[in-house]
Amino acid sequence: MSRKKTEQEYEKTFACHFFRWLSGENDLYVGQMEMRPQEVYKESEEEAKKRQREKNILLNKIYGRKKSKSIKYLELFYRLASILFCGILIYLLLLTVSWLPPIGVADRPVNNEVSKRYIEKGLEETGAVNIVSGMILDYRAFDTLGESHVLFVATVTVLIMLRLDKKHNNGTDLSIEEAEANDRNYEPKNDAILQMSAYVLVPAIIIFGIYVILNGHLGPGGGFSGGAIIGAGLILYLNAFGFQKTERFFTEKTYKWISFGSLSFYCIAKSYSFYTGANHIESIIPKGTPGAILSSGLILPLNIAVGLVVACTMYAFYAMFRKGGF
C-alpha cells in the first residue's frame, strides 16, 4: 500500500501547483518575473513650451483661430458661392434625369452601335485580347490621358499644400530641423519582423505589379491596377526601412522625371496615332499577333506609362502626407 503524502510533500507536487493555478489561487508568474513599476512621465519646461507653440501654429494656420476681416468676408463669399453652386448642380442633375429615356426602350444609348463595335471589332482594330484595355487605351485613350493628368495635378496640389518650404520660413512655422526631428520619431526602430517581411514581400509585390502591367492587353490588369500594386510595394518598403534608404533610389526629382516622361510619351504617342487614323494616313505602328506579349500596337507601352504614373503618385501622396516631402 502506498502511504499518504503529508501536506508539505503534497504542496511540492506538480498536481498541487496545477490545481491551484486552475482554481486561480496561485499565479505562477507572480514573484517569478522581474517587474518594475512604470515611472511617472514628467514633461520638461522646454517640451511644454514646444508643445504649446506647435498647438498655437495648428490653431492659427489650420483652424484659423485668428481671422482678419478679409478672411471672414472670404468665408462668407465661399459659403454663398457653395450654396449657389450646389443649387445649380442639383437643378442640372434633375433636368438631366428628366430627359432620360424610359426603361426598356429599344433605342436607349446603352443599346447603340458603340458597345457592339467594341465587342465585334475590338480585337481586329486594337489587337488587344482584353477588350477593356483596347477600349480605354485605344478607342477612349484621351479619356485615360485625362485621368492620368488628374492624378498628376492632384499630387501637385498636395505638394503645394503640404510641402515644407526650405527657402521661405517666416518664423511662425516649425523649422526644417524640428520638422525632420519630429519625422524621425516615426521612423522604424529596427523592427525585425516588419523589415524581414518587407525583404520577402516587396520584391514579390513589385514583380507581380510589373506582370499585371505587361499582361494588361492580354487579360485582367493594366496600368492602373499594376501601378497601384507597385505603389503599395514602395509604401511597404518605406514603412519598413524609412526615408533615408528609400531616397537612395526614389526622390522628388525621380518622381518629377518619371511622371513628366510618362505623360509626355502618352500624349505624343496617342496624338500621332489619332492623327494618322483621322486623316487616313498609314500608321507605322504594328498591332502584332493577338495573344502575344508584343502585340496590340501602342496599348502595351501606354499601359507601362500609366502604371509608372499611378505608382509614383501613390508613393508621392503617402510621402507628402507622411512628412511633407520625399
Side-chain angles (χ1 to χ4, degrees), residues 177-196:
E177 291 77 10
E178 289 178 334
E180 291 290 342
N182 290 339
D183 180 71
R184 283 194 292 273
N185 294 330
Y186 299 96
E187 289 285 0
K189 307 298 183 182
N190 296 324
D191 191 328
I193 296 177
L194 178 60
Q195 291 180 352
M196 184 56 65

Side-chain angles (χ1 to χ4, degrees), residues 3 9-10 109 123 170 182 293:
R3 69 182 182 86
E9 291 176 337
Y10 176 72
L123 179 61
N170 55 15
N182 290 339
I293 185 66

Side-chain angles (χ1 to χ4, degrees), residues 37 137 154 161 201 227 267 284 298:
L137 290 174
M161 295 178 64
L201 293 177
C267 183
I284 61 174
L298 285 173

Side-chain angles (χ1 to χ4, degrees), residues 229-242:
I229 295 172
I230 295 176
L234 293 174
I235 292 173
L236 175 59
Y237 185 90
L238 174 62
N239 281 314
F241 302 104

